Amino acid sequence: MLGKCLENVRKTIPLVHCITNYVTVNDVANVLLACGGSPIMSDEPEDVTDITSICQGLTINIGTLNQRSIESMFLAGKRANELHHPVLLDPVGAGASALRTNTAARLLQELSLCAVRGNISEIKALAQGSSTTKGVDADVADAVTDDTLDRSVAFVKEFSQKTGCIIAVTGAIDLVTDGTDCYVIRNGRPEMGRITGTGCQLSGMMAAFLAANPDSPLQAAAAAVCAMGAAGEIGWRNMQPGDGNSTYRSRIIDAICNLDGDTLEKEARYELR
Amino acid sequence: MLGKCLENVRKTIPLVHCITNYVTVNDVANVLLACGGSPIMSDEPEDVTDITSICQGLTINIGTLNQRSIESMFLAGKRANELHHPVLLDPVGAGASALRTNTAARLLQELSLCAVRGNISEIKALAQGSSTTKGVDADVADAVTDDTLDRSVAFVKEFSQKTGCIIAVTGAIDLVTDGTDCYVIRNGRPEMGRITGTGCQLSGMMAAFLAANPDSPLQAAAAAVCAMGAAGEIGWRNMQPGDGNSTYRSRIIDAICNLDGDTLEKEARYELR
Amino acid sequence: MLGKCLENVRKTIPLVHCITNYVTVNDVANVLLACGGSPIMSDEPEDVTDITSICQGLTINIGTLNQRSIESMFLAGKRANELHHPVLLDPVGAGASALRTNTAARLLQELSLCAVRGNISEIKALAQGSSTTKGVDADVADAVTDDTLDRSVAFVKEFSQKTGCIIAVTGAIDLVTDGTDCYVIRNGRPEMGRITGTGCQLSGMMAAFLAANPDSPLQAAAAAVCAMGAAGEIGWRNMQPGDGNSTYRSRIIDAICNLDGDTLEKEARYELR
């Protein structure tokens, strides 16, 4: 099933409108191409409605938000909603500033979002209006571990039910839920935290998976998470002496590029709760 | 002749002012350095006139245009015109939104452009005011193939004569014309389409070639196209098992970095029509 | 001592707020992660005060400045000053445009800067209000060489005394001074000039070194310069046939990622003046 979700991306080549931060935007574009989708970036209010209209999905990432791009997020989101395109929110740094927390909360309220993907601190900030967010990385105190797994799963299911969105929390253990079922995913490598933007890349890629699999959004979101984690593992196996985080970054995108459905099925490590 | 054009870039190190999208800007800078030029980026209206004044060429890429950068494109373009610097337009996504189509059309009308480089859908949108552009990639229906070659050559020659610009259309077959002669170029690899920004990189590099070869702009533009395509082929030969689109991206820039005039002459595959 | 400065970054993981250009921002983020710090980017006036407040250091790079980001530079800088965070200025292109020269001068005047890092042309533009800056690269006429070393050291010491900042001038020979002592550093490779953004990366990294070593800012700044230069040398040793500037860029960040204090001590080549 997860492998099929990837194959559907490669088959339908969904065009994904990305309003995303300028730090990791190039990697987001390349990972979208790697997984079989096609990216287009636009964040000018006068441009975004037209651009979203020719796409099949929208990802909104608030990583380097500004007043202009915030306006564009709402305009594009509303148009995507009219067209029934899946809209994904990546609330980068929610909890770290009032503008980020409030913008993410307003997007969640005013748009009909298909999915929200973030680290646990960002999702908590969004759910509870407060957090111990340390910048754009999750706080250790919030981490999803085997010890906190039961209550973490309960938390994401409840937030998913309340919002009607698929909630994807990524970290050492990833959780993806539609409020009823929860994928508990154990792919990935801790060294992925030494690269900027693996989360942003996943958000871009997840929008493509959602667009290509309109009838099974939970599986599509879980497949994207497993694909990113599996690519982190495959990329790591290809590391040579002297390689570091910059080469690892390329290796992960390369692994997505070479990933097929069968390999994804074989590499995915998850349980359903 | 084409090899000489590259050598002139390495000899004169033209400084190229780039107003370009934030998706591929880093690759544009690195490919300009790789080919022997020097990049400077500036898109603030209060800054661009000064910056263009110390440069030898200007590339305008509308990939992530906004109201501020659009104003800068006109200001920089007019100043570059006054100084007789070559100005190149890359109409990214023309045909995909009204703002892009109109901005590209206005730049073509109000500035004296040396060259326009885009995919066939973008160039058609610019020439005809409409197109079937699919995002930032060319539509299959527009593609330049052996079957459509005669009328494609006629189309670009006519558009070149009408505008007075060198027109460079890149795709599986590349066309570069000054309205009289047309280079039909068959370098490159289809896998280049899996990397974001090879077109943007080529536009940046072409501005350097035009600046370094003021007396032979057609050959300069063709040399840049052949160099990019040859680099795509050389980079592909250097790919290892497990490599994907991210490593390929680096391999292409590396190949430009190592390219000399003799190799370019040897690798270039073109006919004149 | 220099090795200890690096180890303190890895131990304390300083969060560095970067207001930096969009050309090299991804590399700045990855090099900050590589050296053991943590990056966060924000350039919206309504966002930067909150973001700076949760950080331990701030780097201000004017490479692609605009009216919005300039306002953010002052807001963030003032907040960072209130919190006694080290603030570093990278005056990219000072001397190349009035806006850049004036903005850098105003930042130097209105903020309490811990350090200024630039090439010799930029630093001269800032010190003297004029220069022969060629774009964002240093002019040959300004270069610090063995012939000009005595007067270059005197110049940077005097500018440091006048401003109260640590001054770091990087080039073939690097100078880092607090007005009393001057590190004359001979690490690095000329090929680093073929990559965009090694200066920007160093500025981001230096802010992390300053934040992690509050009691020895001169040594921290010198350690960052030596680390970047040593990484340039180590990365070069790892180059293979066919590699070019794009792979070299990755190799340098990788080398920072793998650098430890002992290796930095061993690789650092400097004298004190």
Side-chain angles (χ1 to χ4, degrees), chain B residues 38-72:
Chain B
S38 182
I40 185 163
M41 278 62 180
S42 165
D43 64 9
E44 156 63 34
E46 209 179 313
D47 198 49
V48 291
T49 309
D50 282 358
I51 294 298
T52 274
S53 300
I54 59 166
C55 291
Q56 286 84 49
L58 170 66
T59 188
I60 297 176
N61 174 310
I62 66 168
T64 51
L65 81 184
N66 60 52
Q67 298 298 356
R68 171 171 54 75
S69 66
I70 291 171
E71 186 184 346
S72 297

PDB file of all heavy atoms in Angstrom, chain B residues 38-72:
ATOM      1  N   SER B  38      31.599  35.995 -12.591  1.00  0.00           N
ATOM      2  CA  SER B  38      31.488  36.372 -11.186  1.00  0.00           C
ATOM      3  C   SER B  38      30.059  36.890 -10.974  1.00  0.00           C
ATOM      4  O   SER B  38      29.588  37.746 -11.724  1.00  0.00           O
ATOM      5  CB  SER B  38      32.517  37.464 -10.881  1.00  0.00           C
ATOM      6  OG  SER B  38      32.487  37.829  -9.530  1.00  0.00           O
ATOM      7  N   PRO B  39      29.337  36.355  -9.986  1.00  0.00           N
ATOM      8  CA  PRO B  39      27.932  36.738  -9.795  1.00  0.00           C
ATOM      9  C   PRO B  39      27.760  37.805  -8.724  1.00  0.00           C
ATOM     10  O   PRO B  39      28.529  37.855  -7.765  1.00  0.00           O
ATOM     11  CB  PRO B  39      27.296  35.437  -9.306  1.00  0.00           C
ATOM     12  CG  PRO B  39      28.405  34.774  -8.525  1.00  0.00           C
ATOM     13  CD  PRO B  39      29.716  35.221  -9.120  1.00  0.00           C
ATOM     14  N   ILE B  40      26.761  38.648  -8.873  1.00  0.00           N
ATOM     15  CA  ILE B  40      26.307  39.477  -7.762  1.00  0.00           C
ATOM     16  C   ILE B  40      24.785  39.568  -7.844  1.00  0.00           C
ATOM     17  O   ILE B  40      24.227  39.807  -8.910  1.00  0.00           O
ATOM     18  CB  ILE B  40      26.978  40.875  -7.727  1.00  0.00           C
ATOM     19  CG1 ILE B  40      26.546  41.626  -6.461  1.00  0.00           C
ATOM     20  CG2 ILE B  40      26.718  41.690  -8.961  1.00  0.00           C
ATOM     21  CD1 ILE B  40      27.443  42.818  -6.119  1.00  0.00           C
ATOM     22  N   MET B  41      24.154  39.323  -6.703  1.00  0.00           N
ATOM     23  CA  MET B  41      22.704  39.302  -6.639  1.00  0.00           C
ATOM     24  C   MET B  41      22.205  40.538  -5.893  1.00  0.00           C
ATOM     25  O   MET B  41      22.738  40.887  -4.841  1.00  0.00           O
ATOM     26  CB  MET B  41      22.226  38.058  -5.879  1.00  0.00           C
ATOM     27  CG  MET B  41      22.166  36.796  -6.722  1.00  0.00           C
ATOM     28  SD  MET B  41      23.792  36.276  -7.372  1.00  0.00           S
ATOM     29  CE  MET B  41      23.338  34.796  -8.274  1.00  0.00           C
ATOM     30  N   SER B  42      21.180  41.168  -6.420  1.00  0.00           N
ATOM     31  CA  SER B  42      20.565  42.325  -5.772  1.00  0.00           C
ATOM     32  C   SER B  42      19.204  42.527  -6.395  1.00  0.00           C
ATOM     33  O   SER B  42      19.087  42.525  -7.613  1.00  0.00           O
ATOM     34  CB  SER B  42      21.435  43.568  -5.992  1.00  0.00           C
ATOM     35  OG  SER B  42      20.699  44.729  -5.673  1.00  0.00           O
ATOM     36  N   ASP B  43      18.169  42.674  -5.570  1.00  0.00           N
ATOM     37  CA  ASP B  43      16.827  42.860  -6.119  1.00  0.00           C
ATOM     38  C   ASP B  43      16.023  43.940  -5.401  1.00  0.00           C
ATOM     39  O   ASP B  43      14.799  43.970  -5.469  1.00  0.00           O
ATOM     40  CB  ASP B  43      16.044  41.538  -6.120  1.00  0.00           C
ATOM     41  CG  ASP B  43      15.786  41.000  -4.722  1.00  0.00           C
ATOM     42  OD1 ASP B  43      16.057  41.698  -3.738  1.00  0.00           O
ATOM     43  OD2 ASP B  43      15.289  39.873  -4.620  1.00  0.00           O
ATOM     44  N   GLU B  44      16.729  44.838  -4.707  1.00  0.00           N
ATOM     45  CA  GLU B  44      16.083  45.947  -4.002  1.00  0.00           C
ATOM     46  C   GLU B  44      16.165  47.201  -4.893  1.00  0.00           C
ATOM     47  O   GLU B  44      17.255  47.568  -5.357  1.00  0.00           O
ATOM     48  CB  GLU B  44      16.804  46.161  -2.664  1.00  0.00           C
ATOM     49  CG  GLU B  44      16.690  47.537  -2.041  1.00  0.00           C
ATOM     50  CD  GLU B  44      15.253  47.904  -1.662  1.00  0.00           C
ATOM     51  OE1 GLU B  44      14.487  47.015  -1.267  1.00  0.00           O
ATOM     52  OE2 GLU B  44      14.914  49.104  -1.801  1.00  0.00           O
ATOM     53  N   PRO B  45      15.025  47.854  -5.165  1.00  0.00           N
ATOM     54  CA  PRO B  45      15.041  49.002  -6.086  1.00  0.00           C
ATOM     55  C   PRO B  45      16.118  50.037  -5.742  1.00  0.00           C
ATOM     56  O   PRO B  45      16.771  50.576  -6.641  1.00  0.00           O
ATOM     57  CB  PRO B  45      13.628  49.583  -5.933  1.00  0.00           C
ATOM     58  CG  PRO B  45      12.775  48.411  -5.577  1.00  0.00           C
ATOM     59  CD  PRO B  45      13.643  47.509  -4.744  1.00  0.00           C
ATOM     60  N   GLU B  46      16.337  50.291  -4.450  1.00  0.00           N
ATOM     61  CA  GLU B  46      17.317  51.306  -4.076  1.00  0.00           C
ATOM     62  C   GLU B  46      18.749  50.844  -4.315  1.00  0.00           C
ATOM     63  O   GLU B  46      19.677  51.641  -4.246  1.00  0.00           O
ATOM     64  CB  GLU B  46      17.118  51.685  -2.596  1.00  0.00           C
ATOM     65  CG  GLU B  46      17.517  53.114  -2.281  1.00  0.00           C
ATOM     66  CD  GLU B  46      17.284  53.456  -0.825  1.00  0.00           C
ATOM     67  OE1 GLU B  46      16.184  53.140  -0.290  1.00  0.00           O
ATOM     68  OE2 GLU B  46      18.210  54.038  -0.213  1.00  0.00           O
ATOM     69  N   ASP B  47      18.932  49.551  -4.561  1.00  0.00           N
ATOM     70  CA  ASP B  47      20.283  48.990  -4.683  1.00  0.00           C
ATOM     71  C   ASP B  47      20.676  48.665  -6.119  1.00  0.00           C
ATOM     72  O   ASP B  47      21.868  48.726  -6.468  1.00  0.00           O
ATOM     73  CB  ASP B  47      20.363  47.708  -3.848  1.00  0.00           C
ATOM     74  CG  ASP B  47      21.787  47.265  -3.535  1.00  0.00           C
ATOM     75  OD1 ASP B  47      22.587  48.116  -3.089  1.00  0.00           O
ATOM     76  OD2 ASP B  47      22.098  46.081  -3.719  1.00  0.00           O
ATOM     77  N   VAL B  48      19.708  48.317  -6.955  1.00  0.00           N
ATOM     78  CA  VAL B  48      20.041  47.664  -8.226  1.00  0.00           C
ATOM     79  C   VAL B  48      20.739  48.576  -9.239  1.00  0.00           C
ATOM     80  O   VAL B  48      21.559  48.102 -10.033  1.00  0.00           O
ATOM     81  CB  VAL B  48      18.803  47.012  -8.896  1.00  0.00           C
ATOM     82  CG1 VAL B  48      18.330  45.811  -8.095  1.00  0.00           C
ATOM     83  CG2 VAL B  48      17.684  48.016  -9.109  1.00  0.00           C
ATOM     84  N   THR B  49      20.433  49.846  -9.220  1.00  0.00           N
ATOM     85  CA  THR B  49      21.050  50.731 -10.208  1.00  0.00           C
ATOM     86  C   THR B  49      22.564  50.817  -9.972  1.00  0.00           C
ATOM     87  O   THR B  49      23.360  50.696 -10.910  1.00  0.00           O
ATOM     88  CB  THR B  49      20.415  52.130 -10.163  1.00  0.00           C
ATOM     89  OG1 THR B  49      18.996  51.987 -10.236  1.00  0.00           O
ATOM     90  CG2 THR B  49      20.879  52.983 -11.328  1.00  0.00           C
ATOM     91  N   ASP B  50      22.943  50.992  -8.717  1.00  0.00           N
ATOM     92  CA  ASP B  50      24.369  51.002  -8.386  1.00  0.00           C
ATOM     93  C   ASP B  50      25.036  49.682  -8.750  1.00  0.00           C
ATOM     94  O   ASP B  50      26.149  49.665  -9.298  1.00  0.00           O
ATOM     95  CB  ASP B  50      24.571  51.227  -6.876  1.00  0.00           C
ATOM     96  CG  ASP B  50      24.409  52.685  -6.470  1.00  0.00           C
ATOM     97  OD1 ASP B  50      24.169  53.534  -7.354  1.00  0.00           O
ATOM     98  OD2 ASP B  50      24.511  52.979  -5.266  1.00  0.00           O
ATOM     99  N   ILE B  51      24.374  48.596  -8.404  1.00  0.00           N
ATOM    100  CA  ILE B  51      24.990  47.278  -8.619  1.00  0.00           C
ATOM    101  C   ILE B  51      25.173  47.014 -10.117  1.00  0.00           C
ATOM    102  O   ILE B  51      26.253  46.600 -10.558  1.00  0.00           O
ATOM    103  CB  ILE B  51      24.152  46.165  -7.955  1.00  0.00           C
ATOM    104  CG1 ILE B  51      24.178  46.317  -6.419  1.00  0.00           C
ATOM    105  CG2 ILE B  51      24.655  44.779  -8.368  1.00  0.00           C
ATOM    106  CD1 ILE B  51      25.537  46.194  -5.775  1.00  0.00           C
ATOM    107  N   THR B  52      24.145  47.257 -10.884  1.00  0.00           N
ATOM    108  CA  THR B  52      24.268  47.031 -12.326  1.00  0.00           C
ATOM    109  C   THR B  52      25.386  47.879 -12.930  1.00  0.00           C
ATOM    110  O   THR B  52      26.072  47.445 -13.863  1.00  0.00           O
ATOM    111  CB  THR B  52      22.919  47.322 -13.021  1.00  0.00           C
ATOM    112  OG1 THR B  52      22.125  46.135 -12.955  1.00  0.00           O
ATOM    113  CG2 THR B  52      23.087  47.699 -14.474  1.00  0.00           C
ATOM    114  N   SER B  53      25.579  49.050 -12.367  1.00  0.00           N
ATOM    115  CA  SER B  53      26.581  49.964 -12.923  1.00  0.00           C
ATOM    116  C   SER B  53      28.003  49.427 -12.832  1.00  0.00           C
ATOM    117  O   SER B  53      28.855  49.805 -13.636  1.00  0.00           O
ATOM    118  CB  SER B  53      26.500  51.320 -12.215  1.00  0.00           C
ATOM    119  OG  SER B  53      25.214  51.875 -12.393  1.00  0.00           O
ATOM    120  N   ILE B  54      28.277  48.575 -11.853  1.00  0.00           N
ATOM    121  CA  ILE B  54      29.645  48.033 -11.732  1.00  0.00           C
ATOM    122  C   ILE B  54      29.780  46.684 -12.448  1.00  0.00           C
ATOM    123  O   ILE B  54      30.854  46.081 -12.417  1.00  0.00           O
ATOM    124  CB  ILE B  54      30.095  47.879 -10.259  1.00  0.00           C
ATOM    125  CG1 ILE B  54      29.147  46.941  -9.495  1.00  0.00           C
ATOM    126  CG2 ILE B  54      30.194  49.237  -9.580  1.00  0.00           C
ATOM    127  CD1 ILE B  54      29.709  46.479  -8.156  1.00  0.00           C
ATOM    128  N   CYS B  55      28.695  46.211 -13.061  1.00  0.00           N
ATOM    129  CA  CYS B  55      28.715  44.899 -13.725  1.00  0.00           C
ATOM    130  C   CYS B  55      28.979  45.036 -15.226  1.00  0.00           C
ATOM    131  O   CYS B  55      29.077  46.149 -15.752  1.00  0.00           O
ATOM    132  CB  CYS B  55      27.387  44.192 -13.499  1.00  0.00           C
ATOM    133  SG  CYS B  55      27.156  43.682 -11.780  1.00  0.00           S
ATOM    134  N   GLN B  56      29.055  43.871 -15.883  1.00  0.00           N
ATOM    135  CA  GLN B  56      29.190  43.860 -17.343  1.00  0.00           C
ATOM    136  C   GLN B  56      27.993  43.216 -18.027  1.00  0.00           C
ATOM    137  O   GLN B  56      27.902  43.205 -19.258  1.00  0.00           O
ATOM    138  CB  GLN B  56      30.483  43.128 -17.752  1.00  0.00           C
ATOM    139  CG  GLN B  56      31.752  43.941 -17.483  1.00  0.00           C
ATOM    140  CD  GLN B  56      32.228  43.804 -16.047  1.00  0.00           C
ATOM    141  OE1 GLN B  56      32.337  42.705 -15.538  1.00  0.00           O
ATOM    142  NE2 GLN B  56      32.492  44.922 -15.382  1.00  0.00           N
ATOM    143  N   GLY B  57      27.079  42.655 -17.243  1.00  0.00           N
ATOM    144  CA  GLY B  57      25.892  42.024 -17.825  1.00  0.00           C
ATOM    145  C   GLY B  57      24.816  41.874 -16.779  1.00  0.00           C
ATOM    146  O   GLY B  57      25.084  41.995 -15.578  1.00  0.00           O
ATOM    147  N   LEU B  58      23.589  41.630 -17.241  1.00  0.00           N
ATOM    148  CA  LEU B  58      22.434  41.520 -16.336  1.00  0.00           C
ATOM    149  C   LEU B  58      21.570  40.350 -16.785  1.00  0.00           C
ATOM    150  O   LEU B  58      21.246  40.228 -17.979  1.00  0.00           O
ATOM    151  CB  LEU B  58      21.614  42.809 -16.386  1.00  0.00           C
ATOM    152  CG  LEU B  58      20.242  42.810 -15.698  1.00  0.00           C
ATOM    153  CD1 LEU B  58      20.372  42.644 -14.177  1.00  0.00           C
ATOM    154  CD2 LEU B  58      19.483  44.104 -16.010  1.00  0.00           C
ATOM    155  N   THR B  59      21.188  39.498 -15.848  1.00  0.00           N
ATOM    156  CA  THR B  59      20.202  38.468 -16.157  1.00  0.00           C
ATOM    157  C   THR B  59      18.972  38.695 -15.293  1.00  0.00           C
ATOM    158  O   THR B  59      19.084  38.942 -14.086  1.00  0.00           O
ATOM    159  CB  THR B  59      20.785  37.042 -15.981  1.00  0.00           C
ATOM    160  OG1 THR B  59      19.836  36.094 -16.475  1.00  0.00           O
ATOM    161  CG2 THR B  59      21.073  36.706 -14.546  1.00  0.00           C
ATOM    162  N   ILE B  60      17.818  38.677 -15.918  1.00  0.00           N
ATOM    163  CA  ILE B  60      16.541  38.884 -15.234  1.00  0.00           C
ATOM    164  C   ILE B  60      15.733  37.600 -15.356  1.00  0.00           C
ATOM    165  O   ILE B  60      15.373  37.183 -16.449  1.00  0.00           O
ATOM    166  CB  ILE B  60      15.749  40.049 -15.876  1.00  0.00           C
ATOM    167  CG1 ILE B  60      16.525  41.369 -15.732  1.00  0.00           C
ATOM    168  CG2 ILE B  60      14.362  40.163 -15.242  1.00  0.00           C
ATOM    169  CD1 ILE B  60      15.852  42.559 -16.439  1.00  0.00           C
ATOM    170  N   ASN B  61      15.483  36.973 -14.217  1.00  0.00           N
ATOM    171  CA  ASN B  61      14.764  35.694 -14.160  1.00  0.00           C
ATOM    172  C   ASN B  61      13.538  35.914 -13.283  1.00  0.00           C
ATOM    173  O   ASN B  61      13.663  36.324 -12.125  1.00  0.00           O
ATOM    174  CB  ASN B  61      15.727  34.650 -13.567  1.00  0.00           C
ATOM    175  CG  ASN B  61      15.096  33.297 -13.297  1.00  0.00           C
ATOM    176  OD1 ASN B  61      14.043  33.200 -12.680  1.00  0.00           O
ATOM    177  ND2 ASN B  61      15.756  32.256 -13.752  1.00  0.00           N
ATOM    178  N   ILE B  62      12.347  35.673 -13.844  1.00  0.00           N
ATOM    179  CA  ILE B  62      11.118  36.030 -13.119  1.00  0.00           C
ATOM    180  C   ILE B  62      10.544  34.882 -12.285  1.00  0.00           C
ATOM    181  O   ILE B  62       9.383  34.915 -11.876  1.00  0.00           O
ATOM    182  CB  ILE B  62      10.038  36.574 -14.088  1.00  0.00           C
ATOM    183  CG1 ILE B  62       9.551  35.482 -15.051  1.00  0.00           C
ATOM    184  CG2 ILE B  62      10.547  37.777 -14.867  1.00  0.00           C
ATOM    185  CD1 ILE B  62       8.292  35.890 -15.826  1.00  0.00           C
ATOM    186  N   GLY B  63      11.379  33.894 -11.981  1.00  0.00           N
ATOM    187  CA  GLY B  63      10.913  32.660 -11.336  1.00  0.00           C
ATOM    188  C   GLY B  63      10.138  32.828 -10.045  1.00  0.00           C
ATOM    189  O   GLY B  63       9.165  32.119  -9.807  1.00  0.00           O
ATOM    190  N   THR B  64      10.578  33.699  -9.160  1.00  0.00           N
ATOM    191  CA  THR B  64       9.789  33.988  -7.950  1.00  0.00           C
ATOM    192  C   THR B  64       9.587  35.497  -7.826  1.00  0.00           C
ATOM    193  O   THR B  64       9.844  36.093  -6.776  1.00  0.00           O
ATOM    194  CB  THR B  64      10.437  33.437  -6.662  1.00  0.00           C
ATOM    195  OG1 THR B  64      11.803  33.861  -6.613  1.00  0.00           O
ATOM    196  CG2 THR B  64      10.371  31.929  -6.595  1.00  0.00           C
ATOM    197  N   LEU B  65       9.120  36.069  -8.902  1.00  0.00           N
ATOM    198  CA  LEU B  65       8.910  37.527  -8.950  1.00  0.00           C
ATOM    199  C   LEU B  65       7.991  38.025  -7.835  1.00  0.00           C
ATOM    200  O   LEU B  65       7.113  37.316  -7.372  1.00  0.00           O
ATOM    201  CB  LEU B  65       8.356  37.916 -10.321  1.00  0.00           C
ATOM    202  CG  LEU B  65       6.870  37.758 -10.624  1.00  0.00           C
ATOM    203  CD1 LEU B  65       6.632  38.130 -12.080  1.00  0.00           C
ATOM    204  CD2 LEU B  65       6.320  36.381 -10.334  1.00  0.00           C
ATOM    205  N   ASN B  66       8.228  39.259  -7.388  1.00  0.00           N
ATOM    206  CA  ASN B  66       7.269  39.941  -6.516  1.00  0.00           C
ATOM    207  C   ASN B  66       7.278  41.424  -6.895  1.00  0.00           C
ATOM    208  O   ASN B  66       8.076  41.857  -7.737  1.00  0.00           O
ATOM    209  CB  ASN B  66       7.565  39.691  -5.029  1.00  0.00           C
ATOM    210  CG  ASN B  66       8.933  40.170  -4.618  1.00  0.00           C
ATOM    211  OD1 ASN B  66       9.312  41.302  -4.862  1.00  0.00           O
ATOM    212  ND2 ASN B  66       9.701  39.286  -3.989  1.00  0.00           N
ATOM    213  N   GLN B  67       6.390  42.189  -6.296  1.00  0.00           N
ATOM    214  CA  GLN B  67       6.251  43.593  -6.709  1.00  0.00           C
ATOM    215  C   GLN B  67       7.571  44.346  -6.565  1.00  0.00           C
ATOM    216  O   GLN B  67       7.921  45.177  -7.414  1.00  0.00           O
ATOM    217  CB  GLN B  67       5.144  44.292  -5.910  1.00  0.00           C
ATOM    218  CG  GLN B  67       3.753  43.676  -6.108  1.00  0.00           C
ATOM    219  CD  GLN B  67       3.248  43.748  -7.551  1.00  0.00           C
ATOM    220  OE1 GLN B  67       3.887  44.313  -8.431  1.00  0.00           O
ATOM    221  NE2 GLN B  67       2.096  43.141  -7.805  1.00  0.00           N
ATOM    222  N   ARG B  68       8.301  44.056  -5.482  1.00  0.00           N
ATOM    223  CA  ARG B  68       9.578  44.735  -5.285  1.00  0.00           C
ATOM    224  C   ARG B  68      10.593  44.330  -6.343  1.00  0.00           C
ATOM    225  O   ARG B  68      11.266  45.189  -6.942  1.00  0.00           O
ATOM    226  CB  ARG B  68      10.114  44.412  -3.879  1.00  0.00           C
ATOM    227  CG  ARG B  68      11.528  44.879  -3.627  1.00  0.00           C
ATOM    228  CD  ARG B  68      11.941  44.732  -2.171  1.00  0.00           C
ATOM    229  NE  ARG B  68      11.771  43.407  -1.639  1.00  0.00           N
ATOM    230  CZ  ARG B  68      12.554  42.365  -1.903  1.00  0.00           C
ATOM    231  NH1 ARG B  68      13.592  42.506  -2.717  1.00  0.00           N
ATOM    232  NH2 ARG B  68      12.316  41.196  -1.368  1.00  0.00           N
ATOM    233  N   SER B  69      10.707  43.042  -6.595  1.00  0.00           N
ATOM    234  CA  SER B  69      11.725  42.606  -7.553  1.00  0.00           C
ATOM    235  C   SER B  69      11.345  43.015  -8.981  1.00  0.00           C
ATOM    236  O   SER B  69      12.226  43.291  -9.791  1.00  0.00           O
ATOM    237  CB  SER B  69      11.984  41.102  -7.436  1.00  0.00           C
ATOM    238  OG  SER B  69      10.857  40.341  -7.808  1.00  0.00           O
ATOM    239  N   ILE B  70      10.048  43.067  -9.262  1.00  0.00           N
ATOM    240  CA  ILE B  70       9.641  43.522 -10.605  1.00  0.00           C
ATOM    241  C   ILE B  70      10.105  44.965 -10.830  1.00  0.00           C
ATOM    242  O   ILE B  70      10.670  45.292 -11.883  1.00  0.00           O
ATOM    243  CB  ILE B  70       8.110  43.398 -10.780  1.00  0.00           C
ATOM    244  CG1 ILE B  70       7.700  41.922 -10.825  1.00  0.00           C
ATOM    245  CG2 ILE B  70       7.635  44.122 -12.051  1.00  0.00           C
ATOM    246  CD1 ILE B  70       6.189  41.685 -10.769  1.00  0.00           C
ATOM    247  N   GLU B  71       9.887  45.813  -9.836  1.00  0.00           N
ATOM    248  CA  GLU B  71      10.361  47.200  -9.951  1.00  0.00           C
ATOM    249  C   GLU B  71      11.878  47.225 -10.187  1.00  0.00           C
ATOM    250  O   GLU B  71      12.379  47.984 -11.026  1.00  0.00           O
ATOM    251  CB  GLU B  71      10.003  47.969  -8.666  1.00  0.00           C
ATOM    252  CG  GLU B  71      10.334  49.450  -8.743  1.00  0.00           C
ATOM    253  CD  GLU B  71      10.061  50.183  -7.421  1.00  0.00           C
ATOM    254  OE1 GLU B  71       9.384  49.627  -6.529  1.00  0.00           O
ATOM    255  OE2 GLU B  71      10.570  51.324  -7.292  1.00  0.00           O
ATOM    256  N   SER B  72      12.570  46.361  -9.487  1.00  0.00           N
ATOM    257  CA  SER B  72      14.032  46.298  -9.643  1.00  0.00           C
ATOM    258  C   SER B  72      14.441  45.842 -11.034  1.00  0.00           C
ATOM    259  O   SER B  72      15.458  46.301 -11.575  1.00  0.00           O
ATOM    260  CB  SER B  72      14.627  45.354  -8.597  1.00  0.00           C
ATOM    261  OG  SER B  72      14.395  45.849  -7.308  1.00  0.00           O
TER     262      SER B  72
END
